[in-house]
Amino acid sequence: MTVFSPVPAARPPAGLDRPQVTELRLSAFAGHRGTVLPFGPLTLITGPSGSGKTSALRAYEALARLSAGAELVDVFADPAACVPERARADGQRRRGFRIGCTVEGPAGTIRLDLAVQAEPELRVVGERLTRGGLALLETALRDPGRRMVQAAWHTAGTAPVTRAPMPDDRLGTALVPLRVAGKTDGQRLVLAAAEQVVVALRSAFACDPRPSRMRAPVPAGLIGAGRLLSGCDNLAEVLWRTRAECAGRHALLVTAVREGCAGPVADVFAAEAEDGSVQAFIDRGDGVRTPLARLGDSELRYLALALVLLTGPGVLAVDPVAEVPQAYQTLTVLADDLDRRLDARQVRALGELAARTCARGHIRVVGAVRDAAGAADAARASVVDLGRDGTT
């Protein structure tokens, strides 16, 4: 597997440092052992079939959902599939997996490492939140008979650490604001580090446009949700909204569609039908309006991905941290099979659009691609080789 990281991380203006995930670690996850993926503003993962591109994105999305407070059972529907195939059970028939990440931001370089038991019961068995050599939060399973882990967090007060139980079905880092008082410098450091990790991970949008669902008009009963779904099923509704909200952003979308779709493109718009449903069209500029239902799969995927790159948390169905202003957050788009069904022209146009968008600093992209050469050329990428077997 190979990682392309085309542009160095852009430094935001002073005072607006946005927490960013700069590394994903798959110590033992699915087909990965000891895999480390460095992330820049625009990162494209490539490799042969079975090298673990999809599972890497799945691990990132899992961390994002856990940071939002989701329970393990909701995040890992098939936990056994996350366990490395050759992993042996211990004397109590226990097997599991380990994932983690590094987050850069105002609190410094923060590492999160998570160990999950998948069999015989799904539960957290260990978690570490660290900065440098300092352990800010540690949890461990002490008593398998209780659905709790023992947590200890840095205090640096009259006692060096504070200990208390935490549930074993959630990410402890996401629970820190509910448990840590913030009365000492040590506790405030723990809170700042946990917030940095949660803010960076939660603002993730897993995107996989499904052309078969994008062709039909959006029913009247679904109008009003206003945010683009992961499969882009409600593309017409979102086009109806974004075209009216920001003329400048819509003009950029029209330009992008013109570069990646066949035939003349004067506008892209949505219209309401008599039954209240909304359907999207391409205005050809000569009185002809082409319904999106007539476009090929590649054109629909390209259009949807371009729209994603030109929008943000207020338009995409993500769950950012409400307590932190958007100016301090970065949206990360997770796109599996990013170049699926796209031709060379569309890959090039989408890569250039992604590079321009990511350079601004408020959106990052992590995408898995099949065509390494095409992706590298389109995104002007430098190459980091992680090895043919998908591990470092």
Side-chain angles (χ1 to χ4, degrees):
M1 180 167 54
T2 304
V3 171
F4 296 105
S5 190
V7 288
R11 292 194 62 82
L16 290 181
D17 290 330
R18 301 182 180 96
Q20 298 173 348
V21 177
T22 56
E23 182 180 83
L24 178 68
R25 293 183 297 280
L26 307 175
S27 302
F29 184 80
H32 294 276
R33 279 193 178 274
T35 300
V36 179
L37 289 83
F39 291 151
L42 170 55
T43 303
L44 302 177
I45 309 170
T46 189
S49 178
S51 61
K53 302 185 295 294
T54 297
S55 59
L57 292 180
R58 185 155 47 95
Y60 192 125
E61 184 181 2
L63 287 173
R65 295 180 62 190
L66 289 172
S67 292
E71 297 183 11
L72 289 178
V73 68
D74 295 322
V75 174
F76 300 106
D78 185 9
C82 302
V83 180
E85 187 175 13
R86 298 183 182 275
R88 296 182 178 180
D90 64 11
Q92 285 73 44
R93 298 179 299 165
R94 296 177 297 191
R95 298 200 310 156
F97 53 90
R98 290 179 290 132
I99 57 179
C101 66
T102 299
V103 179
E104 305 277 356
T109 301
I110 308 298
R111 289 171 57 100
L112 170 67
D113 293 285
L114 180 68
V116 177
Q117 175 186 295
E119 300 171 345
E121 295 177 298
L122 181 64
R123 64 198 309 180
V124 172
V125 293
E127 179 180 347
R128 280 177 58 87
L129 187 71
T130 59
R131 188 180 78 165
L134 179 63
L136 302 176
L137 171 70
E138 292 184 286
T139 72
L141 180 64
R142 302 297 186 192
D143 182 357
R146 300 182 62 196
R147 295 311 306 253
M148 294 284 182
V149 290
Q150 184 65 35
W153 55 85
H154 180 61
T155 304
T158 54
V161 298
T162 301
R163 303 181 188 276
M166 281 189 176
D168 67 351
D169 61 350
R170 298 175 186 269
L171 186 70
T173 298
L175 299 176
V176 161
L178 302 177
R179 299 299 184 91
V180 180
K183 294 182 178 180
T184 68
D185 289 342
Q187 290 179 340
R188 286 188 285 272
L189 176 57
V190 174
L191 286 169
E195 180 184 89
Q196 178 167 298
V197 170
V198 168
V199 169
L201 284 171
R202 277 182 62 168
S203 297
F205 180 67
C207 179
D208 184 15
R210 302 178 184 181
S212 61
R213 298 185 180 184
M214 295 161 55
R215 289 191 167 89
V218 179
L222 296 181
I223 295 173
R227 299 201 297 173
L228 189 66
L229 302 175
S230 178
C232 302
D233 309 26
N234 61 333
L235 179 71
E237 177 204 353
V238 175
L239 274 174
W240 192 23
R241 169 190 168 184
T242 57
R243 186 172 185 267
E245 284 184 346
C246 181
R249 182 172 59 189
H250 184 75
L252 292 174
L253 175 65
V254 173
T255 299
V257 173
R258 189 178 296 124
E259 294 175 355
C261 293
V265 177
D267 196 4
V268 183
F269 69 99
E272 187 176 6
E274 292 183 359
D275 63 358
S277 64
V278 172
Q279 186 173 7
F281 301 84
I282 289 181
D283 183 354
R284 299 298 185 180
D286 55 3
V288 176
R289 297 179 172 183
T290 303
L292 292 197
R294 297 180 65 91
L295 299 185
D297 285 359
S298 63
E299 290 179 308
L300 282 173
R301 277 185 56 82
Y302 172 85
L303 192 158
L305 290 167
L307 177 62
V308 168
L309 291 172
L310 289 168
T311 56
V315 178
L316 306 178
V318 298
D319 183 25
V321 181
E323 298 80 9
V324 178
Q326 289 189 7
Y328 291 86
Q329 302 186 48
T330 298
L331 171 71
T332 300
V333 176
L334 306 176
D336 192 15
D337 255 353
L338 180 61
D339 57 349
R340 186 172 76 244
R341 296 179 178 171
L342 302 185
D343 61 27
R345 178 183 64 146
Q346 292 167 332
V347 169
R348 185 176 302 106
L350 197 64
E352 292 174 352
L353 177 61
R356 291 195 302 270
T357 301
C358 293
R360 298 176 186 147
H362 68 284
I363 286 183
R364 293 163 72 87
V365 175
V366 179
V369 297
R370 298 182 179 184
D371 183 359
D377 177 65
R380 303 181 299 280
S382 59
V383 179
V384 179
D385 192 350
L386 297 186
R388 294 182 179 179
D389 62 354
T391 63
T392 53

